[in-house]
Amino acid sequence: MSSFNLKIDLTWRDILNRTAIILATVAIIVWVMPRDTHLTLKFEKNTPWRYADITAPFDFTVYKSDQVVQAEMDSVMRDYQPYYTIDKGKDATNVRRFLQDYASGLPLLSADYKSIIANRLRSLYHQGIVDTKEPLGSETDTTRMLRVVDEKTAVSIRAYKTLTAVQAYEQLVGDPALVKHREAVQSLNLNDYIEPNLIYDRERSEMSRQELLASVPRASGRVQRGEKIIDRGTIVDEQKYLVLQSFLRESDKRHQERSQLSTTVLGEVLYVLLLITGFTLFISIFRADYFDKLRSLGLLYSLIIIFSVLTSLLVGHSLLHVFIIPFAMVPIFIRVFMDSRTAFMAHVVLVLTCACTLHYPLDFIAVELTAGLAAILSLRDLSSRSQLFWTAAIVTAASCLMNLALNLISTSSWSQIDRYEYYYLLACGLILFCCYPLLYILEKAFGYTSNITLIELSDMNKELLRRMSEVAPGTFQHSIQVGNLAAEIARKIGAKAQLVRTGALYHDIGKTVNPIYFTENQSGGINPHEQLSCIESAQMIISHVTEGLKLADKYNLPGVIRDFISTHHGLGKAKYFFVKWKNEHPDEQIDELLFTYPGPNPFTKEQAILMMADAVEAASRSLPDYTEQTIRQLVNRIIDGMLADGYFRECPITFRDIAYAKTVLIEKLKTIYHTRISYPELKK
């Protein structure tokens, strides 16, 4: 028998394996964490701010809205004057060419029209013919100006007074002096003598345009470092909206300007490594039996990895609210397979790890820790499937209440509360109802046995139990009685009552192979051991352990049930036949292993309880009379003998537990075998 603090001797290979598990866990979690650290906040005007309070971590400029900036740009662009360079020789060249082409006269027109057309051409060139009016905008805008550059001087003229080549031609042929001879004038191909003399200066015009646009200020103010930007629940008005947009813009700019990937990854590695290492130290110190088993570590770290990866994917791709992830599943699973303290510590580590991926994690931590505590408290004693469904409902209610409390603290009215967060929490509650099928998957994957499985195995309609009740009814009744006694002891000393009860039902299942060789199944005074030697009888009795293990393998019973079958006699002897052989052969030596059970001795508290309850219940049937003294003497003699033989040396059970076990057995046996009164007969 050992104390609570189990000393586990780990080899270098064991240490390396556990170190590799820790490093692999840290590497996977950090690897999937979102690398893009810019803020992804969603908000709208005239709605409450749903996130935590924000204080400016740096100085930044408050930028005007795009609409305001565009309006100001449109305003200054009204003063925009594109530049055109004048070609002074263009009018003289084209008029001279016209006069030369028609020196012999104009067809269908008198000679006077030649000078009229020449004068009109000079007038058009003096008015100005532009190559394009595209920079001027609307032609009907009489306020627009353009600047005509003549060598070193620039003169502003009204844009609407200038003409394009097409407009100049139309004006020429439509001149009052020429309109009555329009067809004759059109036959002269006068458009050949109309060319733009105002050439658009694109470079100078664009420079002027950029100077005007640059004169529009983009900023409307500045926020100093440490200044409060917004409080949770505050309505996002126009000014707050601009400040928040500017804050996000500056954050993205800073993120792009400096390469902080290496420092970010280093910080994430250090953060996760500290959490996982601390959790591992907790297990190694306070839950050494879990630390000794790789399957236990595998379950714990697998759950942490899976939910951390889900959180990183959800946050990294901005898919849904993180509240939709059922983090409470982790403490539920660990509470079912292990214990409450380990479940809570694992949940804390998971929540803190996932909080690293969020920009404002305080609300997340408060809500998820509340959900985890509610899950652990509601599963204090899992005894039915319906408890898992009640747990899902309790966790959902606790999460919503905590989130409501945080909202009420930070908002001034009910209308400012974001109802979508509660939709996600309700959806998370629905996902928690999937715990039951996932529980079965984890049992098979990691070799655990939940209380629900034990309850199912305790069903008397199970094939093995039904068969035992039919072919070995005495053993069946003995197993039920042992289960009741053992469960009562387990509840008294804080052991697993459901586990030891189920183990008691199956511990003698091997007796169904040859039931007649066991006294509780014999009737009519027939004892087949009278035809066997002591060694053969002992081997027949001992075989119920090996036969029970074969049946356990055949019917796929969990490993914890197989352990009850193999340890309920430990390395003890079939004492009746061993002592009988010794008495009959006092001078002979024999291999005592022929009378010894294969074992091993109990190595858990529940197995020790079953051994005590089994031996005491069987021996109590042989008492000549049932008084408190005889029962007490029987219980003390059997259990003290077990202690003396060292059956509990490898078992974490204390003398205090054994004392409680004795008390429970004595009281229960007194109740079972209490004296009954004789009923009188009716006189005729």
Side-chain angles (χ1 to χ4, degrees):
M1 184 174 63
S2 65
S3 64
F4 280 116
N5 296 324
L6 297 178
K7 295 182 179 179
I8 299 176
D9 297 325
L10 297 178
T11 64
W12 280 107
R13 171 177 286 184
D14 296 330
I15 295 174
L16 290 176
N17 287 338
R18 283 149 182 79
T19 303
I21 291 175
I22 295 173
L23 295 179
T25 301
V26 173
I28 294 173
I29 293 175
V30 173
W31 182 63
V32 299
M33 280 185 172
R35 294 281 87 83
D36 187 8
T37 59
H38 71 275
L39 299 177
T40 54
L41 304 175
K42 297 180 180 179
F43 53 92
E44 297 178 359
K45 295 179 183 177
N46 302 320
T47 59
W49 179 249
R50 300 184 295 112
Y51 304 96
D53 301 352
I54 299 182
T55 301
F58 44 75
D59 297 345
F60 65 92
T61 301
V62 179
Y63 297 97
K64 299 176 183 177
S65 66
D66 293 340
Q67 294 82 356
V68 172
V69 172
Q70 186 61 47
E72 293 182 359
M73 286 182 176
D74 293 341
S75 177
V76 299
M77 284 301 292
R78 295 191 183 98
D79 299 329
Y80 170 60
Q81 298 180 9
Y83 283 82
Y84 287 80
T85 303
I86 188 169
D87 187 348
K88 290 183 177 181
K90 188 72 69 174
D91 56 343
T93 301
N94 284 288
V95 171
R96 186 184 312 113
R97 189 160 56 86
F98 167 74
L99 294 175
Q100 291 175 354
D101 291 343
Y102 293 101
S104 58
L106 300 175
L108 305 177
L109 292 173
S110 62
D112 296 338
Y113 284 97
K114 183 175 180 180
S115 61
I116 293 173
I117 292 174
N119 291 332
R120 297 295 184 272
L121 285 174
R122 292 189 185 94
S123 178
L124 291 175
Y125 280 109
H126 178 73
Q127 186 176 350
I129 302 175
V130 297
D131 58 347
T132 176
K133 283 192 175 182
E134 180 181 353
L136 300 176
S138 174
E139 296 182 1
T140 61
D141 188 355
T142 59
T143 63
R144 300 303 297 271
M145 307 288 288
L146 57 82
R147 294 181 70 82
V148 177
V149 179
D150 183 4
E151 295 180 354
K152 296 183 179 181
T153 63
V155 179
S156 296
I157 63 174
R158 297 288 179 181
Y160 77 93
K161 293 182 177 180
T162 60
L163 303 170
T164 63
V166 175
Q167 291 173 334
Y169 177 78
E170 291 294 333
Q171 185 171 324
L172 178 61
V173 298
D175 189 271
L178 302 175
V179 68
K180 59 183 177 180
H181 302 290
R182 186 181 183 91
E183 293 183 0
V185 173
Q186 288 178 339
S187 66
L188 299 177
N189 294 326
L190 296 178
N191 55 344
D192 293 340
Y193 309 101
I194 300 175
E195 293 180 323
N197 66 335
L198 297 179
I199 310 302
Y200 177 60
D201 190 339
R202 184 175 300 276
E203 181 178 354
R204 187 176 294 178
S205 297
E206 185 63 23
M207 186 181 300
S208 173
R209 178 176 176 275
Q210 292 299 330
E211 288 177 356
L212 280 175
L213 294 178
S215 66
V216 177
R218 267 62 171 180
S220 63
R222 188 167 181 81
V223 174
Q224 302 295 324
R225 179 180 180 182
E227 183 178 344
K228 178 63 70 68
I229 296 177
I230 194 170
D231 295 324
R232 181 183 174 92
T234 302
I235 298 298
V236 181
D237 56 17
E238 182 69 28
Q239 182 60 27
K240 293 289 185 184
Y241 186 84
L242 293 178
V243 173
L244 289 169
Q245 289 282 21
S246 302
F247 173 61
L248 295 180
R249 179 176 175 180
E250 185 66 22
S251 297
D252 290 344
K253 181 180 178 182
R254 287 171 175 259
H255 174 70
Q256 295 171 0
E257 286 179 351
R258 60 185 183 187
S259 176
Q260 53 180 2
L261 179 62
S262 58
T263 57
T264 300
V265 172
L266 179 60
E268 291 172 348
V269 169
L270 185 59
Y271 179 83
V272 178
L273 182 62
L274 286 174
L275 289 175
I276 299 300
T277 303
F279 181 57
T280 306
L281 291 176
F282 164 80
I283 297 174
S284 64
I285 295 172
F286 297 102
R287 290 293 182 266
D289 50 336
Y290 301 154
F291 189 73
D292 187 39
K293 299 175 183 176
L294 286 178
R295 68 169 186 176
S296 298
L297 295 179
L299 174 64
L300 294 170
Y301 293 132
S302 296
L303 290 173
I304 293 175
I305 289 173
I306 290 171
F307 281 85
S308 298
V309 169
L310 285 176
T311 305
S312 295
L313 293 177
L314 210 63
V315 173
H317 295 83
S318 301
L319 299 177
L320 296 170
H321 198 289
V322 73
F323 279 166
I324 202 172
I325 301 178
F327 292 96
M329 275 190 180
V330 173
I332 288 175
F333 291 148
I334 299 177
R335 173 64 187 86
V336 169
F337 294 130
M338 298 181 184
D339 62 89
S340 299
R341 187 186 296 184
T342 305
F344 179 71
M345 290 300 298
H347 188 58
V348 170
V349 170
L350 172 63
V351 170
L352 292 178
T353 301
C354 295
C356 180
T357 62
L358 306 175
H359 297 294
Y360 301 103
L362 294 181
D363 290 1
F364 166 78
I365 293 174
V367 171
E368 295 304 336
L369 286 183
T370 302
L373 283 173
I376 294 170
L377 292 175
S378 63
L379 287 175
R380 182 175 54 184
D381 184 18
L382 181 62
S383 58
S384 65
R385 301 180 190 91
S386 62
Q387 278 187 261
L388 289 174
F389 299 102
W390 278 110
T391 296
I394 292 171
V395 167
T396 303
S399 302
C400 291
L401 286 175
M402 174 55 73
N403 196 56
L404 178 62
L406 295 172
N407 287 336
L408 293 177
I409 290 172
S410 58
T411 58
S412 58
S413 66
W414 291 91
S415 60
Q416 296 177 0
I417 294 177
D418 183 10
R419 64 182 184 275
Y420 291 101
E421 291 182 354
Y422 299 92
Y423 294 158
Y424 285 113
L425 290 174
L426 291 175
C428 177
L430 294 176
I431 297 174
L432 280 178
F433 284 106
C434 299
C435 280
Y436 182 69
L438 291 176
L439 203 62
Y440 178 78
I441 295 174
L442 289 178
E443 283 189 36
K444 297 304 180 183
F446 294 95
Y448 279 98
T449 304
S450 67
N451 273 11
I452 295 178
T453 300
L454 295 175
I455 293 169
E456 292 174 347
L457 290 173
S458 300
D459 185 358
M460 298 304 175
N461 290 319
K462 287 289 183 181
E463 184 177 350
L464 270 176
L465 296 181
R466 190 177 69 250
R467 179 184 172 193
M468 182 166 62
S469 67
E470 294 171 353
V471 304
T475 300
F476 182 69
Q477 294 300 324
H478 162 73
S479 298
I480 293 176
Q481 199 74 275
V482 170
N484 293 333
L485 293 172
E488 192 64 30
I489 297 172
R491 280 189 286 268
K492 185 70 175 178
I493 67 175
K496 299 175 182 177
Q498 185 59 53
L499 174 60
V500 73
R501 183 191 294 276
T502 308
L505 290 176
Y506 288 90
H507 79 286
D508 275 343
I509 200 69
K511 291 182 179 180
T512 58
V513 178
N514 295 295
I516 194 63
Y517 287 93
F518 301 91
T519 55
E520 66 266 23
N521 300 314
Q522 296 171 0
S523 61
I526 299 175
N527 188 352
H529 288 287
E530 295 176 356
Q531 310 300 322
L532 302 176
S533 66
C534 291
I535 295 176
E536 290 173 335
S537 294
Q539 289 295 307
M540 186 61 68
I541 296 297
I542 292 170
S543 68
H544 85 274
V545 173
T546 55
E547 294 296 338
L549 293 175
K550 291 178 183 178
L551 288 173
D553 291 336
K554 180 179 178 181
Y555 288 90
N556 295 318
L557 293 182
V560 289
I561 303 301
R562 297 180 78 262
D563 292 338
F564 281 110
I565 296 173
S566 62
T567 61
H568 74 278
H569 285 294
L571 293 171
K573 293 181 174 59
K575 283 191 176 180
Y576 178 87
F577 295 106
F578 178 69
V579 173
K580 182 180 178 182
W581 189 91
K582 279 288 191 179
N583 291 335
E584 293 175 357
H585 307 83
D587 299 326
E588 295 185 25
Q589 297 292 328
I590 192 172
D591 186 0
E592 294 186 5
L593 291 178
L594 296 174
F595 296 91
T596 304
Y597 286 95
N601 286 328
F603 50 86
T604 68
K605 189 181 292 188
E606 289 76 18
Q607 293 167 7
I609 292 171
L610 177 62
M611 174 181 275
M612 290 186 285
D614 178 46
V616 169
E617 201 283 332
S620 67
R621 297 174 180 271
S622 62
L623 285 175
D625 59 329
Y626 296 100
T627 64
E628 180 177 354
Q629 182 179 0
T630 57
I631 292 175
R632 187 180 300 277
Q633 289 176 350
L634 174 71
V635 171
N636 288 331
R637 176 171 55 81
I638 291 177
I639 295 180
D640 290 343
M642 291 178 176
L643 280 171
D645 292 337
Y647 289 157
F648 304 143
R649 288 176 182 171
E650 302 170 6
C651 176
I653 193 169
T654 65
F655 288 109
R656 182 173 179 270
D657 295 336
I658 294 174
Y660 277 129
K662 287 181 179 180
T663 302
V664 171
L665 288 171
I666 292 170
E667 294 301 322
K668 287 297 177 181
L669 289 177
K670 284 166 55 180
T671 304
I672 293 171
Y673 298 115
H674 70 276
T675 304
R676 292 175 174 83
I677 62 174
S678 299
Y679 285 85
E681 294 184 2
L682 180 64
K683 294 181 180 181
K684 297 182 181 179

